[in-house]
Amino acid sequence: MRIRSLAALSITAIAALSLAGCSGSGDSEASPSAEVSDLCSAAVDSGTASDAVSVSGDFGSMPEDVTFDTPLDISELESTIVTEGTGETVSAGDFVSYGIAVYNADTGELVDSVGYEPGEFLPQQVSPDAAFGQIFGCAPIGTRAVATFPETDSSAAGVYVIDSLEIVPTAAWGEEQTPADGFPTVVLDDDGAPTITLPDSDAPTDVELDTLKLGDGPVVESGDTVLVQYTGVQWSDGTVFDSSWESGTPTSFVTTQVVPGFQQALEGQTVGSQVLVVIPPEYGYGEASEDNTNALAGETLVFVVDILGTQHATTE
């Protein structure tokens, strides 16, 4: 069992889009907080290779037909806009979901595709020095582009048809639910960051969950990689011990690689949901002992988790 990524494609499509350092105009700084103008100026030019690709089919779905003369000679990263979107303008630092179909530049054959079905691929953060930013610049959501990638030491030359689908919020967007009695209370600031207030009662001895917002996205499955925002406090004194909000950006991890109580809070939930979970030591970092000196050993932990995306694990 492993996580499907563009690295699973023979020409490393997703890796090329999500990692920095591809060829092109990449003179811009790598900061996700760069201005929109920086992202606009990061866009590479169209060229002979990318203009030679013909694409048919509806935006947001697998292309019906992608044709070009083979073998296609690709010397540098080029990008041609096939369909100009009319949605939100993309800014550096945004998380964007997209669909991608990858074709072998020598044969024209489809190599693989990902992102057209829910739960196939996590949203990616946009920056001027990463490939997505260089392919689309600040083009609005709804844009379809053809990008041509030259051969590298680790990947063959490829033709990529990419649909920019949606800017994903960085806080849960699901329908608010009535909080359960007896749980910690949660107040959100204007950005969605939570403040957690603990009740004047003993900590529970079992994992307790309460869904504060109910999302309408795909269900998180065991072994998925999830994109989340979270804040965690200690029941003993209410101290915040970890928070993606404080670090400034959502984070991702595999559900089976966190403490059992946190895993329970994620699996079976829907993307867009916000979950409150109380985790006793047995389901967290265990009881403190000479052999367990973790700073959170013996602590009951409280998390508020916003589930922003999930990428299902696949077997090969």
Side-chain angles (χ1 to χ4, degrees):
M1 180 76 72
R2 68 183 182 81
I3 300 304
R4 174 180 180 155
S5 69
L6 281 184
L9 307 180
S10 65
I11 54 178
T12 60
I14 290 176
L17 287 179
S18 59
L19 297 179
C22 68
S23 61
S25 64
D27 296 330
S28 302
E29 292 296 320
S31 171
S33 61
E35 298 295 331
V36 171
S37 59
D38 298 325
L39 192 59
C40 293
S41 63
V44 300
D45 293 330
S46 61
T48 303
S50 62
D51 287 344
V53 181
S54 176
V55 182
S56 64
D58 294 334
F59 172 87
S61 301
M62 269 287 297
E64 291 180 3
D65 193 30
V66 175
T67 57
F68 49 91
D69 291 336
T70 58
L72 185 63
D73 182 23
I74 303 173
S75 60
E76 62 182 346
L77 175 64
E78 298 173 354
S79 176
T80 296
I81 300 300
V82 177
T83 304
E84 183 76 32
T86 59
E88 295 179 80
T89 298
V90 176
S91 300
D94 284 343
F95 282 81
V96 175
S97 63
Y98 55 86
I100 176 172
V102 185
Y103 300 82
N104 186 295
D106 291 332
T107 66
E109 295 179 350
L110 175 68
V111 177
D112 208 341
S113 65
V114 71
Y116 292 105
E117 298 296 331
E120 283 191 330
F121 190 45
L122 286 184
Q124 300 294 302
Q125 191 171 31
V126 177
S127 70
D129 72 334
F132 187 93
Q134 293 180 6
I135 291 166
F136 284 91
C138 55
I141 292 297
T143 297
R144 168 172 280 182
V146 168
T148 51
F149 281 75
E151 182 181 7
T152 69
D153 291 340
S154 59
S155 62
V159 173
Y160 300 39
V161 179
I162 312 157
D163 291 354
S164 174
L165 300 175
E166 182 182 18
I167 296 175
V168 176
T170 55
W173 58 86
E175 183 177 352
E176 292 189 11
Q177 307 293 295
T178 302
D181 293 337
F183 275 77
T185 57
V186 178
V187 176
L188 306 179
D189 69 12
D190 292 341
D191 294 326
T195 297
I196 304 169
T197 302
L198 301 173
D200 185 17
S201 61
D202 293 335
T205 56
D206 291 315
V207 175
E208 294 190 355
L209 298 173
D210 188 26
T211 300
L212 304 179
K213 295 182 180 181
L214 182 60
D216 57 0
V219 175
V220 178
E221 300 172 359
S222 181
D224 281 8
T225 300
V226 291
L227 180 70
V228 301
Q229 293 268 37
Y230 67 90
T231 292
V233 303
Q234 300 176 172
W235 186 285
S236 60
D237 58 8
T239 301
V240 175
F241 62 87
D242 196 9
S243 175
S244 64
W245 294 97
E246 292 183 359
S247 65
T249 188
T251 188
S252 60
F253 46 78
V254 179
T255 66
T256 52
Q257 296 178 3
V258 295
V259 297
F262 205 100
Q263 181 178 354
Q264 289 183 43
L266 296 169
E267 295 176 0
Q269 301 290 338
T270 50
V271 170
S273 295
Q274 183 181 72
V275 180
L276 172 67
V277 58
V278 183
I279 306 174
E282 179 183 356
Y283 302 95
Y285 292 91
E287 297 293 348
S289 68
E290 290 183 0
D291 297 325
N292 185 6
T293 58
N294 188 295
L296 296 176
E299 287 283 351
T300 295
L301 309 177
V302 181
F303 286 95
V304 173
V305 187
D306 291 21
I307 304 172
L308 310 178
T310 195
Q311 177 177 314
H312 300 322
T314 60
T315 57
E316 291 189 356

